[in-house]
């Protein structure tokens, strides 16, 4: 969801981010290895346009809003622009119209960096546009800690029910 409310266990959220960090590292190596072959003006434009269209309008609206409730259009813009599917389509269209080039590496570098370094994933309508701790997430974690940490390992393929605080009473 976002870095304040991944609605996942902290370990699983870290593993998820770690996968994107691997992608970020691979793309970084490619960028460094091909730096002399990258047309930097288009590369910088490709990197920036994602946030100029997908993040900046929502961030401005959010900061200006007294209630912090903004139009869902900003969420859709963010999610569309920060989609690997959308940016894959942009890269394919670029390759078709202009030709393949190393500047396109800045598209996955942006997305992998957002997700791996900053923990920014899609923005769900039910949460603030900017990350803020949500009481529901804290409740979820508190509810999972006891039963999941007390779970008895399954033996011989039989599923075990999680133990709760009042089990056996």
């Amino acid at each position: 969801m976002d870095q304040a409310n991944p609605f996942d266990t902290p370990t699983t959220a870290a593993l998820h981010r770690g996968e994107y960090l691997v992608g970020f590292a691979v793309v970084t190596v490619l960028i460094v290895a091909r730096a002399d072959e990258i047309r930097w003006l288009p590369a910088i434009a490709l990197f920036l346009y994602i946030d100029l269209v997908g993040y900046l309008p929502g961030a401005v609206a959010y900061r200006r809003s007294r209630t912090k409730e903004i139009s869902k259009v900003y969420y859709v813009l963010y999610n569309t622009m920060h989609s690997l599917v959308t940016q894959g389509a942009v890269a394919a269209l670029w390759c078709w119209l202009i030709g393949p080039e190393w500047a396109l590496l800045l598209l996955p570098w942006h997305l992998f960096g957002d997700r791996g370094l900053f923990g920014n994933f899609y923005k769900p309508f039910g949460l603030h546009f900017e990350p803020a701790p949500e009481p529901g997430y804290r409740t979820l974690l508190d509810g999972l800690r006891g039963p999941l940490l007390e779970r008895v390992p399954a033996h011989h393929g039989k599923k075990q029910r999680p133990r709760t605080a009042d089990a056996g009473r």
Side-chain angles (χ1 to χ4, degrees), residues 23-81:
F24 182 77
V26 168
V27 175
T28 299
V29 167
L30 289 171
I31 289 170
V32 170
R34 299 297 183 166
D36 59 332
E37 298 177 59
I38 294 174
R39 290 190 313 138
W40 285 101
L41 192 58
I44 292 167
L46 286 164
F47 179 86
L48 291 177
Y49 101 99
I50 295 171
D51 281 342
L52 290 174
V53 174
Y55 172 70
L56 198 58
V60 169
Y62 183 81
R63 284 172 178 77
R64 287 184 176 173
S65 171
R66 291 180 190 207
T67 65
K68 302 304 178 198
E69 302 235 350
I70 61 173
S71 170
K72 301 305 180 210
V73 168
Y74 297 115
Y75 291 77
V76 172
L77 280 172
Y78 181 91
N79 293 341
T80 300
M81 295 306 295

Side-chain angles (χ1 to χ4, degrees), residues 25 35 47 68 78 84 94 114 120 123 128-129 134 147 149:
F47 179 86
K68 302 304 178 198
Y78 181 91
L84 289 166
W94 186 286
D114 272 358
N120 294 327
K123 295 190 179 292
H128 289 277
F129 188 82
E134 294 288 339
L149 294 178

Side-chain angles (χ1 to χ4, degrees), residues 16-28:
H16 196 192
R17 286 179 67 176
E19 291 180 349
Y20 284 101
L21 284 174
V22 170
F24 182 77
V26 168
V27 175
T28 299

Side-chain angles (χ1 to χ4, degrees), residues 108-122:
W109 196 68
H110 181 130
L111 300 180
F112 293 165
D114 272 358
R115 293 174 182 166
L117 297 173
F118 305 115
N120 294 327
F121 290 85
Y122 294 121

Side-chain angles (χ1 to χ4, degrees), residues 107-166:
L107 295 173
W109 196 68
H110 181 130
L111 300 180
F112 293 165
D114 272 358
R115 293 174 182 166
L117 297 173
F118 305 115
N120 294 327
F121 290 85
Y122 294 121
K123 295 190 179 292
F125 291 156
L127 297 178
H128 289 277
F129 188 82
E130 293 291 0
E134 294 288 339
Y137 178 63
R138 178 87 282 142
T139 301
L140 172 69
L141 283 182
D142 291 344
L144 289 176
R145 280 203 175 99
L148 288 180
L149 294 178
E150 297 172 6
R151 185 172 296 207
V152 176
H155 294 287
H156 307 294
K158 295 180 183 175
K159 290 187 177 181
Q160 298 288 326
R161 291 181 46 197
R163 293 183 183 187
T164 59
D166 59 358

